[in-house]
Amino acid sequence: MSSGNFSVASKVKLPNGTLMPQIQLGLYMMSGREVKAAVRFTLGAGYRGFDSAQMYRNEREAGQAIRDFISSADNTGALTREDIFYTSKLASNSTSYQTVRQSIKQSVRACGLGYIDLFLLHSPYGGREARMTSWRAVEDAIKDGEIKAGGVSNYGVRHIEELMGATPTVAPVVNQIEVHPFNTQTHIRAVCAKHGIIVQAYAPLARAMRMRDQTILDLSSKYSCTPAQLLIRWSLQHGLVPLPKSVTPKRILENANIGGFEISEVDMGEMDALDEKLVTDWDPTEAP
């Protein structure tokens, strides 16, 4: 369990040696207009990581917003492309290697950033052959410099063991799954830890479905923080990389302001005990 003075400047080291921001902005279900405004604001507020996907249909706007900020007068810190960590994801696994390679190339073109820092297989759907073929395409995209690192998303224990059991040329550095106190995913997190895979937590705020939970309210009051700040801090202290999503400037700032308190071991245990296997969107982790 991690502790420390977390902030938007905090980073974790991926197995390939790359440093990845430990708090990133999730771009799920944001329109192109919302993405442009949110990315620009969050860059000014100190965020350096952005999580997009082919299925989000906002890769172009996310990349444009990053490029526009870098070249603008608002870039008082002289940020360059290399200071930004941009993630996208493959919409559909395929048994056609060329289809996946072309899809990756299209994502790189769409964002206009020259390369993608982290590219994930968005789900395990499609079956074993599609998963393995798609991963081979990711490996080759890394070799060709189109992406810097590869990972997976919504992979369950069996999917992780399947991929690692095949002794891939390049191992996944990330598994992005839904994780929060109401769905702690301990088994998946354990197998990822065994293989040195970092867990990114999407929906770390449980999509606001449990903000009025009494335990969350009591602990928020105890630590003089918002429920969202408490949930993000829980993720960080578990060594996760949370991807909170917001288009509201006030909440974007609040979500990053989690360095002023530390949840005690006892209270972390109390939050862990809230697990009810809550799924707020989809759950492909048991896919065949």
Side-chain angles (χ1 to χ4, degrees):
M1 195 175 293
S2 303
S3 61
N5 189 25
F6 297 105
S7 73
V8 286
S10 300
K11 290 181 169 60
V12 293
K13 182 177 284 189
L14 296 174
N16 67 354
T18 300
L19 292 176
M20 177 174 69
Q22 195 162 6
I23 303 175
Q24 302 184 32
L25 182 70
L27 305 181
Y28 176 58
M29 290 186 71
M30 283 194 198
S31 68
R33 179 180 295 181
E34 288 173 328
V35 163
K36 285 182 178 179
V39 168
R40 190 177 187 92
F41 178 82
T42 50
L43 280 167
Y47 282 73
R48 299 293 178 259
F50 302 92
D51 181 75
S52 186
Q54 293 174 355
M55 287 202 298
Y56 300 172
R57 300 184 183 278
N58 55 27
E59 293 173 298
R60 192 173 307 280
E61 290 84 357
Q64 184 68 57
I66 291 168
R67 300 196 314 273
D68 286 350
F69 182 88
I70 288 173
S71 63
S72 75
D74 294 332
N75 184 14
T76 56
L79 293 178
T80 66
R81 165 66 183 93
E82 289 66 36
D83 296 313
I84 310 301
F85 194 94
Y86 174 76
T87 299
S88 194
K89 311 178 194 73
L90 181 74
S92 301
N93 295 328
S94 175
T95 56
S96 168
Y97 169 86
Q98 286 302 330
T99 295
V100 179
R101 284 295 281 116
Q102 288 306 312
S103 188
I104 295 171
K105 291 177 187 291
Q106 176 55 35
S107 279
V108 175
R109 287 194 296 269
C111 71
L113 296 171
Y115 61 89
I116 291 173
D117 296 276
L118 177 64
F119 193 84
L120 311 178
L121 304 184
H122 207 150
S123 82
Y125 288 143
R128 185 183 191 281
E129 183 184 353
R131 288 191 290 270
M132 302 310 292
T133 299
S134 297
W135 184 254
R136 185 163 58 89
V138 168
E139 291 178 326
D140 288 349
I142 293 172
K143 182 178 67 176
D144 292 346
E146 295 161 10
I147 58 182
K148 299 295 185 182
V152 295
S153 182
N154 295 296
Y155 267 41
V157 170
R158 185 174 61 79
H159 306 122
I160 293 291
E161 294 289 20
E162 171 189 87
L163 179 53
M164 298 307 293
T167 58
T169 303
V170 180
V173 297
V174 158
N175 185 19
Q176 186 182 123
I177 55 176
E178 176 170 354
V179 189
H180 43 72
F182 303 94
N183 192 354
T184 56
Q185 304 276 29
T186 52
H187 295 304
I188 299 177
R189 285 163 50 200
V191 78
C192 287
K194 181 177 80 170
H195 292 294
I197 299 170
I198 301 291
V199 174
Q200 288 185 331
Y202 73 74
L205 309 182
R207 304 207 195 283
M209 292 181 183
R210 295 291 184 272
M211 291 301 194
R212 305 303 297 173
D213 176 87
Q214 196 57 52
T215 297
I216 298 300
L217 291 174
D218 290 346
L219 291 177
S220 298
S221 176
K222 175 179 178 177
Y223 291 104
S224 300
C225 65
T226 67
Q229 289 170 326
L230 184 79
L231 292 169
I232 292 169
R233 182 78 198 198
W234 176 90
S235 288
L236 294 167
Q237 289 187 210
H238 269 307
L240 308 173
V241 176
L243 308 169
K245 174 232 169 177
S246 180
V247 296
T248 308
K250 178 175 181 289
R251 288 180 182 164
I252 288 171
L253 292 174
E254 283 180 351
N255 290 346
N257 185 22
I258 34 69
F261 67 100
E262 182 174 335
I263 305 171
S264 73
E265 189 173 341
V266 169
D267 291 340
M268 285 290 287
E270 188 174 354
M271 292 178 71
D272 292 346
L274 295 173
D275 190 5
E276 58 179 274
K277 305 294 186 284
L278 174 68
V279 174
T280 64
D281 193 339
W282 67 334
D283 183 15
T285 59
E286 298 293 334

